[in-house]
Amino acid sequence: MIERMALNTEGKDYVVGDLHGEYDRLMSALEALEFNTVVDRLFAVGDLIDRGPSSMQCLALMDNPWFFSVRGNHEAMAVNALKGRMWNNWQENGGRWVLKENPPDVSRVLNQAWQAMPLAYEIEVSGGRRVGIVHANPPARWSELDDMTEEVETRLLWSRRRHKTGDTTPVEGIDAVIVGHTVVGSPMMLGNVRYIDTGAYHTRRLTVEPLDQVLACL
């Protein structure tokens, strides 16, 4: 459940924080960056859905060859809810948009997106360096992702331990890791882990950064 991506030799790579249905805000940000859908790539930290106004449009981004996302805990809640589990939990955490949609359409689009989402990306950037992306909390050693246990998966989707404890210990075996899940006032570093969820659905601030910029913050 880790997908490795080669260096983008034709264009630029960007990463975006938790979208939570803020499709129009993303499109405005990409326009401002002069994002080129032919050669550029955009990686998301998960949580494309819930809370904001356009969850279905954000899920449909997965149909584009330039857009990539890891799984987030909100996608996990939605998948489980539509299978009859965690329904109330999902509804209490932003899932009420589904009540205005056709459930079979939501299930189809969600499942297609879910199957295309790994739990982690490892992306080659300039200079032979590598940047990882997970939704919530990375493991202490990047190599743990090659033996994906249920405990590791839960940590990737749900944990806030590093942020809560202010842990600055670098993740071993990777140059930098980018995460979302935990809302921060502005992008911040803890060791070699960068937090970029700036709470777009309520702050109206959506963070989109070039991958190379993350390494410049180390």
Side-chain angles (χ1 to χ4, degrees), residues 6-25:
L7 178 69
N8 183 355
T9 59
E10 302 295 328
K12 297 179 181 179
D13 283 346
Y14 296 87
V15 62
V16 61
D18 300 33
L19 286 178
H20 281 304
E22 293 289 342
Y23 178 86
D24 289 344
R25 201 168 302 281

Side-chain angles (χ1 to χ4, degrees), residues 127-201:
R129 296 171 295 177
R130 294 171 300 126
V131 174
I133 298 175
V134 301
H135 176 61
N137 202 88
R141 295 175 300 280
W142 192 247
S143 60
E144 291 181 48
L145 300 182
D146 290 319
D147 183 22
M148 190 70 70
T149 65
E150 185 175 341
E151 179 184 355
V152 171
E153 181 175 347
T154 299
R155 195 184 315 149
L156 296 179
L157 290 175
W158 294 92
S159 176
R160 291 189 171 92
R161 185 201 61 80
R162 172 178 283 265
H163 186 266
K164 283 183 177 180
T165 61
D167 186 1
T168 59
T169 307
V171 177
E172 295 179 11
I174 192 81
D175 291 289
V177 182
I178 304 167
V179 301
H181 189 56
T182 299
V183 176
V184 292
S186 59
M188 61 171 288
M189 300 293 295
L190 282 175
N192 63 347
V193 179
R194 186 160 181 81
Y195 290 79
I196 65 166
D197 177 13
T198 44
Y201 69 94

Side-chain angles (χ1 to χ4, degrees), residues 33 78 160 166 204 214:
L33 289 167
R160 291 189 171 92
R204 305 297 181 253
V214 176

Side-chain angles (χ1 to χ4, degrees), residues 51-181:
R51 296 178 171 154
S54 305
S55 287
M56 282 289 277
Q57 284 180 286
C58 287
L59 277 179
L61 286 166
M62 293 294 297
D63 293 333
N64 294 297
W66 49 267
F67 184 87
F68 307 85
S69 180
V70 296
R71 294 177 174 182
N73 66 302
H74 279 259
E75 283 81 37
M77 279 193 292
V79 167
N80 280 299
L82 291 171
K83 291 179 178 178
R85 303 185 296 269
M86 296 180 70
W87 177 264
N88 290 338
N89 189 36
W90 185 38
Q91 295 301 290
E92 292 167 1
N93 286 279
R96 295 188 183 278
W97 62 272
V98 73
L99 303 177
K100 299 179 181 180
E101 303 285 348
N102 180 17
D105 287 344
V106 174
S107 184
R108 173 181 53 80
V109 173
L110 176 63
N111 284 323
Q112 286 177 349
W114 179 255
Q115 293 304 317
M117 293 172 168
L119 283 164
Y121 272 109
E122 180 183 304
I123 306 151
E124 183 182 356
V125 295
S126 59
R129 296 171 295 177
R130 294 171 300 126
V131 174
I133 298 175
V134 301
H135 176 61
N137 202 88
R141 295 175 300 280
W142 192 247
S143 60
E144 291 181 48
L145 300 182
D146 290 319
D147 183 22
M148 190 70 70
T149 65
E150 185 175 341
E151 179 184 355
V152 171
E153 181 175 347
T154 299
R155 195 184 315 149
L156 296 179
L157 290 175
W158 294 92
S159 176
R160 291 189 171 92
R161 185 201 61 80
R162 172 178 283 265
H163 186 266
K164 283 183 177 180
T165 61
D167 186 1
T168 59
T169 307
V171 177
E172 295 179 11
I174 192 81
D175 291 289
V177 182
I178 304 167
V179 301
H181 189 56

